[in-house]
Structure formats: structure tokens, C-alpha cells
């Protein structure tokens, strides 16, 4: 039997993982300056947490969750997204009580959705996300968006755009909902069974149906912005004002309703505009979810956040043919020509590593020439050769692999020499 990774998952192999680490470094550094502290929540949660928050009529809950019953007969679900768990933790640990609101949290980790596999769509993928909970200030909406944009800028992406919408408040949603029902009801039989089911339960979901999105009724559907209340409109104007202050350009899209139920007011997505990018162009999605904390049993605390997948970020870099600045080069490869030299090589390897010099030696008894080839393959910046003469003279032969220059350096000065050259 040949084993393969399960469909929709992937192994991140050496070489590729260096890119992940670099992206994670950029992200962690930005979280530090933006002040989003990391929170780590479980990979599985009680199923009801997701049906309550993400919403019963969403594709995620209806078709994509990995749900199982544990040995204690509890229904658990591998998290399809991070917001539900983070908001649960905010309520459970009474973070609404800490003096500094909003509480600004970040997370990174695997999420699971049973989706059809295609480029950029996996069944296990890694989301980085942030949640700012406890503020209804439009300036925090702009900050969250700015952080997402900064991540893409710092990794070197340029072909991206921000798309923005407002879903308004409860009054907005109620009047829009009635308009949607009136619009779709007479011809609902032309739409798929999911849409038919959603007509009265959650007509907004019809607008992001993956099957019927080309149907003519979609284009003529009542647009949310026409139903915004004065307060919701004013809030959205403020968000746009702050984005202008931060010089973040955006496009408005009245059809940006997002695929999860907890949103209201600001919603946004960041898309790749690179020509080589596949059919799925959304890199990042987020929005405001006032009311979610009380839905999950806590006091009312407004919140906003976003999530992006590292997989799609890396695909976007590839589409733009951008390379990351990786910090994974080998500094020194030590070649030992005989058994006595090997002992010295092991000792020097350890000394160099304590001085943060990335060092490698041979562990499969290769001849000198084969060790040299290995050093080349690993792009070593320096090669140190140790043989009988070197041991006698207490000095190593050091070859600079960039210039080809070779010179003798006495053992006690090797570290200082390498540090001055690297
Ligand atoms: P979402 O739009 O479902 O939102 O997912 C956010 C991002 O996760 C997407 O833009 C995409 O980059 C990535 N993503 C989603 N599904 C897949 C997949 N199957 N394969 C690869 N990447 C994927 C949320 O999850 C919300 N929790 C975001 C949020 C946080 N809203 C407020 N706070």
C-alpha cells in the first residue's frame, strides 16, 4: 500500500518551509508593532460554537465542517475558521473586563474545511488572523485593514486591491432582507435547492451561492448600500475617512456580503490582481461582527478582524514572480580529511554554532571531493578544510566560496575571522 497525503492537504517540504518561516516572521513583527498579542485556542471546539457564530445556513456549516463524535458522545468540529474560538475565549476568560479595550488578539494555525480541491483551496490550510474586540470606533476598522495591507506590502506583493462594503446595522439588514425575499420569491424555483432553503432563513446567503452566481436575478437583486440607515452610513463614511488618512486606496463593492453570518457594518476583502493568479483571487477577508460576543453568551462587545491564508499569500508571490528574502543560508561547511580531523571538526562545529554561525559537517564518511560537492549544493559561504597538516599547524584552510580565495587561519582566530567575513 502506498500512502499519500489526504486529498486537499499538503506537506510543506524543506526549502518551502523556509518561505513559511519568513512570512511568519514578517507577520509576528507587524503584530508586535501594531500590538496584537497572540492567542492560541484549540483546533477543535464544540460543534454548536460554529453553527451559532458562522451560521447554520452558510456553506461552511452545511457542507464543509469536519465534525465527529468523541468517545464521550460530544459533537466536536475541527475549526473551519478562527474568529469563533477567539470570541469564545474572550467571553470565557472575561476579557471584556480588562481595562484596556479593545483587546487586540492575533492567531496563526491550521483550519479545516471540506471543500473541493483546486488551486488555492485546501481542506487544511493555515490562517493568520486578528480580532480587535471591545471597540466600535471606525478608526480600529481602518487599523485592522492597514495591518492586513502592511503584511502584503512587507512580503513584497504589489498587485493587490482592497474591496470594501458595509452590511449596515440590524435595521439595515432587516429591510434589505425583506427586499431580497420579495425579489427572489416569485422565481425561486429557478435557483438551486440551497437557495430555495435559504430564501426565508437567510436570503443574503443566496447572493454568495457558488452554483447560481451567474443567474440574472443576482445582478438585479436589491443592493445593501441602498438600505443603510443614517447611522450605518455615517459609520461607513468614517471608516473611509480613516482609510484616506492612512492613504489606503479601496474599491467599493455592494455585493461583498462574505460567506459567514456574523458580519455587520464594515466588510472587506483583499484580492490579488496578478495576471498569473488562479480563479480564486481573494487573499484575505474580514469585517465587523458586533453582536457576536452576546450570541456566544457574553456581554455585548463590538469586534472586527480578518484572516488570510499563508498558502494564498505564497501563491500570490509566485504569480507576481517575487522571491522572499530568506535567511537560511549555510555559513560554513567543515570538511574533515581523516579521523583525527573529524574530532576537531566536531569541536569546531559546536563552537561556531554557539556563536550563531550556521555550520554543517559530513556524517556519512564521504571523501573530500564529495564533501566539497555537498558544501556547494548547500551554498555554503565558507568551506573549512581540516587534514593532517592543518592539525599540525593548528590552522585551518578557509575557502571563501564566493571569491574562491583560500587562506590559512589559526584555530583560535577562526571565530573572529568568520564573524568579520559573514
Ligand atoms: P474567510 O473569508 O472564510 O473568513 O477566510 C479568510 C481567508 O482564509 C480567505 O480569504 C483565504 O485567504 C483563506 N481561506 C479560506 N478558505 C481557504 C481554503 N479552503 N484554502 C486556503 N485558504 C483559505 C474567515 O475565516 C473569518 N474568520 C475572517 C475574519 C476574522 N473575520 C473577522 N475576523
Amino acid at each position: 500500500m502506498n500512502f499519500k497525503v489526504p486529498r486537499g492537504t499538503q506537506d510543506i517540504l524543506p526549502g518551502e518551509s523556509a518561505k513559511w518561516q519568513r512570512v511568519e516572521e514578517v507577520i509576528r513583527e507587524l503584530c508586535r508593532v501594531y500590538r496584537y498579542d497572540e492567542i492560541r485556542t484549540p483546533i477543535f471546539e464544540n460543534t454548536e460554537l460554529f453553527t451559532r457564530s458562522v451560521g447554520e445556513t452558510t456553506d461552511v456549516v452545511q457542507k464543509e465542517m469536519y465534525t465527529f463524535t468523541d468517545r464521550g458522545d460530544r459533537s466536536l468540529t475541527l475549526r473551519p475558521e478562527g474568529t469563533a474560538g477567539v470570541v469564545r475565549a474572550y467571553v470565557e476568560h472575561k476579557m471584556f473586563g480588562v481595562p484596556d479595550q479593545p483587546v487586540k488578539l492575533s492567531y496563526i494555525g491550521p483550519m479545516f474545511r471540506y471543500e473541493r480541491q483546486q488551486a488555492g483551496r485546501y481542506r487544511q490550510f493555515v490562517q493568520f488572523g486578528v480580532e480587535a474586540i471591545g471597540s466600535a470606533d471606525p478608526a480600529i476598522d481602518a487599523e485592522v485593514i492597514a495591518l492586513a495591507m502592511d503584511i502584503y506590502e512587507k512580503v513584497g506583493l504589489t498587485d493587490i486591491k482592497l474591496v470594501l462594503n458595509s452590511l449596515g446595522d440590524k435595521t439595515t439588514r432587516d429591510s434589505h432582507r425583506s427586499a431580497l425575499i420579495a425579489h427572489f420569491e416569485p422565481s425561486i424555483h429557478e435557483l438551486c435547492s440551497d437557495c430555495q432553503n435559504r430564501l426565508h432563513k437567510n436570503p443574503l446567503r443566496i447572493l454568495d451561492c457558488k452554483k447560481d452566481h451567474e443567474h440574472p436575478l443576482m445582478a438585479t437583486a436589491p443592493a445593501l448600500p441602498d438600505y443603510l440607515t443614517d447611522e450605518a452610513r455615517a459609520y461607513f463614511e468614517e471608516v473611509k475617512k480613516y482609510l484616506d488618512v492612512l492613504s489606503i486606496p479601496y474599491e467599493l463593492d455592494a455585493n461583498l456580503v462574505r460567506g459567514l453570518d456574523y458580519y455587520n457594518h464594515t466588510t472587506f476583502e483583499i484580492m490579488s490582481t496578478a495576471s498569473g493568479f488562479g480563479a480564486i483571487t481573494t487573499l484575505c477577508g474580514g469585517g465587523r461582527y458586533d453582536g457576536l460576543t452576546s450570541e456566544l453568551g457574553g456581554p455585548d462587545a463590538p469586534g472586527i478582524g480578518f484572516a488570510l491564508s499563508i498558502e494564498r499569500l505564497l501563491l500570490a508571490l509566485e504569480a507576481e514572480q517575487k522571491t522572499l528574502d530568506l535567511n537560511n543560508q549555510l555559513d560554513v561547511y567543515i570538511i574533515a580529511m581523516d579521523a583525527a580531523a573529524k574530532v576537531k571538526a566536531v569541536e569546531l562545529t559546536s563552537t561556531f554554532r554557539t556563536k550563531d554561525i550556521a555550520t554543517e559537517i559530513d556524517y556519512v564518511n564521504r571523501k573530500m571531493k564529495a564533501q566539497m560537492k555537498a558544501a556547494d549544493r548547500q551554498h555554503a559561504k565558507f568551506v573549512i578544510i581540516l587534514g593532517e597538516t592543518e592539525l599540525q599547524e593548528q590552522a585551518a584552510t578557509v575557502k571563501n566560496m564566493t571569491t574562491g580565495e583560500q587562506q590559512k587561519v589559526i584555530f583560535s582566530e577562526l571565530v573572529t575571522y568568520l564573524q568579520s567575513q559573514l
Side-chain angles (χ1 to χ4, degrees):
M1 167 112 192
N2 277 335
F3 290 107
K4 298 224 163 99
V5 289
R7 183 184 282 272
T9 68
Q10 52 177 350
D11 296 316
I12 312 297
L13 300 177
E16 194 61 19
S17 55
K19 296 182 194 163
W20 283 70
Q21 288 170 4
R22 179 71 197 122
V23 170
E24 286 163 17
E25 251 171 49
V26 168
I27 284 174
R28 285 188 210 285
E29 179 53 17
L30 280 170
C31 281
R32 188 185 70 80
V33 297
Y34 273 81
R35 313 308 294 162
Y36 284 77
D37 258 356
E38 190 186 11
I39 179 165
R40 301 186 186 198
T41 61
I43 279 175
F44 55 82
E45 298 268 2
N46 288 309
T47 302
E48 206 193 333
L49 175 70
F50 299 115
T51 43
R52 269 288 178 96
S53 55
V54 170
E56 238 157 321
T57 48
T58 58
D59 273 357
V60 170
V61 166
Q62 287 193 335
K63 304 176 188 168
E64 298 170 2
M65 294 207 302
Y66 282 90
T67 297
F68 59 98
T69 309
D70 77 359
R71 286 164 198 274
D73 233 14
R74 301 171 194 90
S75 178
L76 299 170
T77 294
L78 296 184
R79 60 184 185 192
E81 59 101 55
T83 309
V86 170
V87 172
R88 179 208 37 77
Y90 176 88
V91 172
E92 183 170 346
H93 301 285
K94 300 192 171 52
M95 288 187 233
F96 45 81
V98 308
D100 285 319
Q101 301 286 324
V103 175
K104 304 203 299 184
L105 304 164
S106 65
Y107 52 91
I108 183 164
M111 307 291 161
F112 306 85
R113 294 184 194 180
Y114 189 82
E115 293 200 82
R116 242 190 36 193
Q117 190 186 357
Q118 61 190 108
R121 186 169 273 162
Y122 304 93
R123 291 184 177 173
Q124 174 176 331
F125 54 98
V126 173
Q127 269 189 353
F128 162 74
V130 305
E131 314 296 346
I133 314 172
S135 163
D137 180 343
I140 191 83
D141 299 37
E143 174 180 291
V144 161
I145 293 172
L147 170 53
M149 294 297 279
D150 254 4
I151 290 171
Y152 292 122
E153 195 195 313
K154 284 263 158 44
V155 297
L157 285 175
T158 49
D159 303 347
I160 55 166
K161 66 170 182 191
L162 167 67
V163 181
L164 196 65
N165 191 24
S166 168
L167 301 185
D169 49 23
K170 188 162 181 323
T171 315
T172 307
R173 296 284 289 273
D174 288 347
S175 47
H176 182 238
R177 184 194 146 89
S178 311
L180 282 175
I181 296 175
H183 175 76
F184 284 112
E185 196 154 35
S187 333
I188 192 67
H189 55 277
E190 293 172 24
L191 302 182
C192 74
S193 59
D194 282 337
C195 288
Q196 294 179 17
N197 279 332
R198 287 163 178 166
L199 179 67
H200 289 282
K201 285 191 196 146
N202 193 353
L204 192 66
R205 284 277 78 85
I206 296 177
L207 298 180
D208 62 6
C209 174
K210 284 173 190 146
K211 275 194 212 134
D212 287 325
H213 66 275
E214 304 278 9
H215 193 284
L217 277 179
M218 297 292 178
T220 52
L224 235 159
D226 296 336
Y227 296 82
L228 290 179
T229 58
D230 289 346
E231 293 81 14
R233 198 179 301 278
Y235 189 89
F236 195 36
E237 287 309 314
E238 286 288 295
V239 174
K240 291 189 274 185
K241 179 189 86 183
Y242 282 115
L243 287 174
D244 292 341
V245 168
L246 300 177
S247 308
I248 299 174
Y250 55 83
E251 276 176 24
L252 296 177
D253 179 354
N255 292 320
L256 184 75
V257 297
R258 310 269 304 123
L260 315 165
D261 272 354
Y262 45 62
Y263 292 114
N264 41 54
H265 288 288
T266 319
T267 54
F268 65 95
E269 289 188 356
I270 299 171
M271 335 273 252
S272 169
T273 55
S275 54
F277 208 68
I280 302 171
T281 55
T282 304
L283 301 179
C284 168
R288 184 160 273 288
Y289 45 82
D290 303 352
L292 185 54
T293 51
S294 48
E295 187 64 33
L296 298 183
D300 220 350
I304 179 161
F306 71 77
L308 59 86
S309 72
I310 312 293
E311 287 86 351
R312 287 193 196 169
L313 183 157
L314 290 172
L315 284 173
L317 279 170
E318 232 171 76
E320 286 194 26
Q321 298 179 335
K322 299 266 166 57
T323 46
L324 288 162
D325 195 4
L326 300 181
N327 176 27
N328 65 342
Q329 223 192 319
L330 175 60
D331 295 322
V332 184
Y333 193 100
I334 306 183
I335 296 179
M337 310 233 278
D338 57 33
K342 172 73 180 276
V343 176
K344 187 68 193 172
V346 169
E347 182 197 316
L348 283 177
T349 300
S350 163
T351 309
F352 293 169
R353 287 176 179 165
T354 58
K355 300 291 178 194
D356 289 335
I357 299 170
T359 312
E360 191 58 288
I361 59 169
D362 168 78
Y363 287 114
V364 286
N365 275 323
R366 280 176 289 205
K367 298 267 184 306
M368 176 177 168
K369 220 168 148 190
Q371 290 189 44
M372 199 60 164
K373 276 192 187 151
D376 249 347
R377 275 194 302 274
Q378 295 180 43
H379 308 291
K381 295 181 200 156
F382 286 87
V383 167
I384 287 183
I385 302 165
L386 298 175
E388 216 179 317
T389 333
E390 282 79 9
L391 289 193
Q392 265 164 17
E393 294 172 1
Q394 291 287 295
T397 304
V398 183
K399 182 171 179 184
N400 182 324
M401 299 296 277
T402 321
T403 62
E405 276 167 37
Q406 206 161 294
Q407 71 181 90
K408 281 275 171 75
V409 179
I410 56 171
F411 288 163
S412 58
E413 279 171 17
L414 271 173
V415 167
T416 328
Y417 176 78
L418 288 170
Q419 281 173 335
S420 70
Q421 299 289 310
L422 285 167

